[in-house]
Amino acid sequence: MTHKREIQGNVIKISGDKTVSIVVERRVMHPKYHKVVKRFKKYLVHDERNELKVGDEIVATECRPLSKTKSYRLKSIVSGAQL
């Protein structure tokens, strides 16, 4: 059994039917200035039941490619959108 990569991020956009776009933030040390800086990357995540809303924090797990750019599935919702 292989280890599936998991990512945690915030939903920023509903990108069509059963798809959401999330942004994952990571903090890294700048090589020259030795200051912690933020790096961002966007991923498309498959949401089978269309249950996510903009602002939700989720955990997604890696899966087989579902389309050209989508290869993550929704695993769990960490927290709902703040109203």
Side-chain angles (χ1 to χ4, degrees), residues 8-53:
Q8 183 172 349
N10 292 316
V11 176
I12 56 170
K13 183 179 179 182
I14 307 298
S15 306
D17 189 32
K18 298 184 181 179
T19 304
V20 295
S21 180
I22 69 167
V23 64
V24 175
E25 174 189 321
R26 61 190 179 93
R27 296 172 188 268
V28 296
M29 185 69 71
H30 191 280
K32 181 176 180 181
Y33 299 112
H34 303 290
K35 181 178 178 180
V36 176
V37 292
K38 296 178 189 176
R39 298 284 183 231
F40 301 96
K41 187 162 181 189
K42 288 201 264 186
Y43 295 94
L44 292 181
V45 176
H46 185 69
D47 176 20
E48 184 64 36
R49 293 178 287 191
N50 284 323
E51 59 189 345
L52 295 175
K53 296 180 281 302

Side-chain angles (χ1 to χ4, degrees), residues 6-11 51-52 55-60 74-82:
E6 290 186 353
I7 56 175
Q8 183 172 349
N10 292 316
V11 176
E51 59 189 345
L52 295 175
D56 289 349
E57 188 173 349
I58 66 165
V59 175
L74 174 66
K75 182 177 183 184
S76 64
I77 301 172
V78 177
S79 63
Q82 302 296 324

Side-chain angles (χ1 to χ4, degrees), residues 4-5 46 61-66 70-73:
K4 302 288 184 171
R5 186 171 162 211
H46 185 69
T61 185
E62 193 176 25
C63 65
R64 66 180 176 83
L66 300 169
K70 185 166 61 168
S71 57
Y72 284 90
R73 287 184 195 270

